[in-house]
Amino acid sequence: MLELSHVSKSYGSKIVLQDCSVCFSQGIYAVTGPSGVGKTTLLRIIAGLEKHTGTVTGAGRISYLFQEPRLLPWYTAEANVAIVSDKNVAHTMLNAVGLKREYLAYPAQLSGGMQRRVALARALAAPFDTLLLDEPLAGLDDETAQSVFSLILEKAQGKTVLFVTHNQCLAEKMDGQFVL
């Protein structure tokens, strides 16, 4: 169980999170709220990328999909995914996100949506207990977004997933919602 206890974070005089305490069990949870309220900061704190006060426990192994793809430009799509798994898993995940023809393409050769799917394939290929997804469907067409969401639900079985989204209809399909 992922637990945040009295977590606070500020940037100078701007308070982003104040005395945030919440528990997440296994399941997929929408993290929602207006832009700039601290959703990304919350994920970064859980991942150990931001200094904060309070405690975060029970995250276990974390896999993180950032808002931007963060692909290694000198690696192919296949190698970007295989860096957290192996070639077979990379192929399986790239197929699952609809990129079976792009294994050997470099990030610069891919559209923004394709880069997003490579990054998602990498996040899902990594072994994890907690999956942090920062707007994973941004930039994807409706059909691809639905397919990717189904894949996330499949991979989320028995795990804890925090899914940042502005899409309220999508948030209502999840096991719970944490509003900032």
Side-chain angles (χ1 to χ4, degrees):
M1 178 179 302
L2 171 61
E3 183 175 358
L4 285 76
S5 182
H6 305 288
V7 171
S8 296
K9 172 68 181 173
S10 59
Y11 296 101
S13 63
K14 182 178 180 184
I15 298 170
V16 180
L17 293 173
Q18 186 169 16
D19 200 34
C20 178
S21 294
V22 62
C23 292
F24 298 100
S25 57
Q26 293 177 353
I28 185 166
Y29 299 90
V31 178
T32 62
S35 294
V37 77
K39 298 178 297 292
T40 295
T41 299
L42 176 71
L43 297 188
R44 289 180 56 81
I45 287 170
I46 293 167
L49 300 175
E50 291 283 344
K51 291 184 178 185
H52 62 282
T53 59
T55 59
V56 177
T57 57
R61 297 171 300 173
I62 295 172
S63 186
Y64 193 155
L65 175 70
F66 294 89
Q67 280 185 351
E68 60 285 330
R70 297 196 181 186
L71 300 175
L72 300 171
W74 53 87
Y75 278 5
T76 63
E78 174 188 77
N80 264 285
V81 178
I83 199 166
V84 299
S85 58
D86 63 42
K87 214 177 220 186
N88 291 332
V89 172
H91 286 190
T92 299
M93 294 312 304
L94 288 167
N95 284 341
V97 297
L99 295 174
K100 62 182 153 193
R101 294 186 186 141
E102 284 79 17
Y103 292 163
L104 301 179
Y106 289 89
Q109 298 170 311
L110 301 172
S111 70
M114 289 175 166
Q115 289 180 25
R116 186 86 177 143
R117 287 184 281 156
V118 172
L120 179 62
R122 181 177 57 199
L124 294 173
F128 64 87
D129 301 302
T130 300
L131 179 61
L132 306 174
L133 301 172
D134 202 344
E135 301 190 42
L137 306 181
L140 302 181
D141 63 78
D142 290 341
E143 184 179 332
T144 303
Q146 183 56 48
S147 173
V148 166
F149 184 66
S150 296
L151 177 63
I152 292 168
L153 290 177
E154 177 187 320
K155 290 295 197 175
Q157 297 299 310
K159 311 290 185 179
T160 301
V161 179
L162 299 186
F163 188 118
V164 172
T165 185
H166 290 281
N167 182 328
Q168 192 56 42
C169 293
L170 185 61
E172 291 170 3
K173 294 179 181 179
M174 298 185 201
D175 297 321
Q177 196 170 157
F178 181 63
V179 182
L180 288 173

